[in-house]
Amino acid sequence: MASISERTFIAIKPDGVQRGLVGEIIKRFEQKGFKLVAMKFMHASEDLLKEHYIELKDRPFYAGLIKYMHSGPVVAMVWEGLNVVKTGRVMLGETNPTDSKPGTIRGDFCVQVGRNIIHGSDSVESAETEINLWFTPEELVEYTSCAHQWI
């Protein structure tokens, strides 16, 4: 069965890390059938965060967003699979958790938009940009999962 695979950037934000949700979030992506190809546990620099959120720089919440994202460690990841960008966004739920359905990450674990625990790329193009911002090519692991033929 031939399929075209793509990659997405997913980051567990400081509130997700502090609340001990890292394992649950990874579990959901693994159970869906996506392949983890890179992961970092890190304290992101302000410069990295400013570049990551550059398209929001003129929004009134930008400074608070940078401060929040810099307030603690994050888990940056690259996931690979068929339609992983679109499916990943569905799995995350709406940006505003009150609009998120039960069963989504934000629907199950979030209460307010300012603490929505997770970021996911919104397009294949933004995923590529974000992956290249957070990871070097050498940090992306190429391998074939033994479960690939079953997914």
Side-chain angles (χ1 to χ4, degrees):
M1 177 177 183
S3 62
I4 298 174
S5 190
E6 61 189 30
R7 290 180 172 171
T8 194
F9 175 77
I10 299 291
I12 303 172
K13 297 176 180 181
D15 55 321
V17 172
Q18 293 291 338
R19 292 179 55 202
L21 297 172
V22 174
E24 175 65 30
I25 291 168
I26 291 171
K27 177 183 173 183
R28 288 181 181 214
F29 278 84
E30 286 181 328
Q31 286 181 330
K32 186 68 176 175
F34 296 129
K35 181 172 74 170
L36 182 63
V37 297
M39 182 168 63
K40 288 182 186 180
F41 181 62
M42 62 189 288
H43 193 109
S45 71
E46 284 189 33
D47 289 341
L48 174 60
L49 295 168
K50 286 177 181 177
E51 182 66 24
H52 179 84
Y53 289 110
I54 192 77
E55 74 280 356
L56 302 175
K57 69 179 167 72
D58 295 327
R59 304 292 284 273
F61 58 83
Y62 177 74
L65 174 61
I66 300 302
K67 183 178 179 183
Y68 151 63
M69 289 295 294
H70 189 63
S71 68
V74 298
V75 176
M77 299 175 283
V78 179
W79 289 91
E80 184 176 279
L82 182 64
N83 296 316
V84 70
V85 174
K86 181 178 180 182
T87 305
R89 295 286 291 187
V90 171
M91 291 170 63
L92 268 57
E94 300 299 322
T95 301
N96 186 341
T98 60
D99 298 330
S100 294
K101 292 181 176 25
T104 65
I105 293 167
R106 290 177 179 146
D108 289 350
F109 302 116
C110 300
V111 176
Q112 63 172 311
V113 71
R115 297 290 181 266
N116 67 7
I117 73 169
I118 195 163
H119 165 84
S121 300
D122 60 7
S123 69
V124 173
E125 296 77 22
S126 68
E128 185 176 331
T129 299
E130 292 170 350
I131 291 166
N132 289 331
L133 184 63
W134 289 78
F135 293 92
T136 65
E138 298 78 32
E139 293 173 313
L140 302 173
V141 179
E142 296 285 343
Y143 68 102
T144 301
S145 168
C146 61
H148 179 76
Q149 67 181 349
W150 301 104
I151 297 172

